[in-house]
Amino acid sequence: MLVVGTGLIGTSAALALRKRGVRVLLADRDPGAVRLARELGAGTEWDPARQPEQQVDLAIIAVPPAHVASELLALQTAGAARFYTDVASVKAEPIHRAAQLGCDLASYVASHPLAGREKSGPGAARADLFLGRPWALCPTEEAAPEAIATVLRLIELCGANPVEVGAVDHDRAVAVVSHAPHVAASAVAARLADATDVALGLAGQGVRDVTRIAGSDPGLWLGILSGNASPVAEVLEAVAHDLADAASALRALAEGDGTATGELTQLLKRGVVGHDRIPGKHGGPASAYAVVQVVIGDRTGQLARLFQVCDEVGVNVEDVRLEHAPGLPLGIAELSVQPDAAAGLTEALRERGWQVP
């Protein structure tokens, strides 16, 4: 296979394929990115001069949405592969542009792995990035069955779960679950730029959770948002309406109007309903876990010791999060477990000297 674009997604796909024994060729306009991806074991550098004898089964186009169609046309003109896919997070515009340029849509199947990290570039790539993650497949009516089957094989090799969806529906969906939340997180994080040192010193896990994705590359996200501008704008307008209503209610409360709590309550309740609809493990319904909090020292091996206790008593940790104590070499580990296992795990931890609040 050929991976064009050795950033986070492209290099992660290459690493996943190499782990399954697939021969991978790498290409990028940045020689340094190709060199780093190669050093990480993602594959060998592609030599365009060796076409068509070097033709591969599938070319994975891992470039920003605005450049997908032109890259597809160039690769098809060079006869680089039998089939083509892209992994951009916007689908309708690249497909439309590819048709305008006269690309062969029979050999092209647009796709999008719903996986990523706050970091970018080949250095952040991981072979397991797509494991268990949904991977959208957006074939056009022109797409050949063999092309679709080849992309499905790619998704299988990367350990992801294929989800077939129309390009327009895909873009509206990611506007709700990915693109608009990123802008909202950035808006919250932007308030911290001018925050006082006192405020930042009081920052807890809540603000870190809300702003985590705001640390991503602005240039990369500008390209994504530009390619999906209208659906994202619709979601943000709805969010802005809710926030404006909340602000009005809070102003009324500040002026002594105790009846203004109704709209705030409704928004908070709708937030709970929306949160609870987020799928749980393995894509199933969200589960209600019990949380066991454990004081843990910031020292080597502490997490391993903690998990060893869980293993000894036969308790599966469904999720874990760490909250560090500012100014102290310790923190709190929150272990999410099945409700009927919480009491036994708490007792076992205390017996072994762990501090469980």
Side-chain angles (χ1 to χ4, degrees), residues 60-242:
I60 304 165
I61 303 170
V63 301
H67 302 292
V68 168
S70 58
E71 196 67 57
L72 173 63
L73 180 62
L75 291 169
Q76 289 182 335
T77 301
R82 295 175 62 218
F83 305 110
Y84 304 84
T85 189
D86 76 281
V87 291
S89 64
V90 178
K91 298 275 69 94
E93 181 59 28
I95 292 174
H96 175 69
R97 182 61 178 152
Q100 284 184 322
L101 292 178
C103 295
D104 174 23
L105 298 185
S107 63
Y108 167 58
V109 180
S111 73
H112 173 213
L114 277 296
R117 303 182 67 189
E118 303 82 60
K119 301 177 181 178
S120 60
R126 291 174 14 192
D128 63 352
L129 186 67
F130 311 109
L131 286 180
R133 302 294 301 168
W135 190 311
L137 194 70
C138 306
T140 62
E141 293 181 356
E142 297 89 344
E146 192 175 358
I148 297 173
T150 301
V151 179
L152 283 170
R153 177 58 176 159
L154 162 68
I155 296 171
E156 177 187 355
L157 288 170
C158 289
N161 299 320
V163 179
E164 187 167 334
V165 60
V168 173
D169 289 339
H170 166 276
D171 289 356
R172 290 191 177 280
V174 295
V176 173
V177 302
S178 176
H179 299 170
H182 187 93
V183 179
S186 296
V188 174
R191 299 304 95 212
L192 302 177
D194 298 321
T196 65
D197 290 342
V198 173
L200 295 175
L202 296 173
Q205 194 60 40
V207 73
R208 290 185 175 89
D209 288 344
V210 171
T211 60
R212 179 180 60 83
I213 57 176
S216 301
D217 178 12
L220 172 67
W221 271 95
L222 179 60
I224 292 171
L225 295 170
S226 298
N228 201 25
S230 182
V232 176
E234 290 179 11
V235 178
L236 290 178
E237 285 165 355
V239 172
H241 183 271
D242 282 341

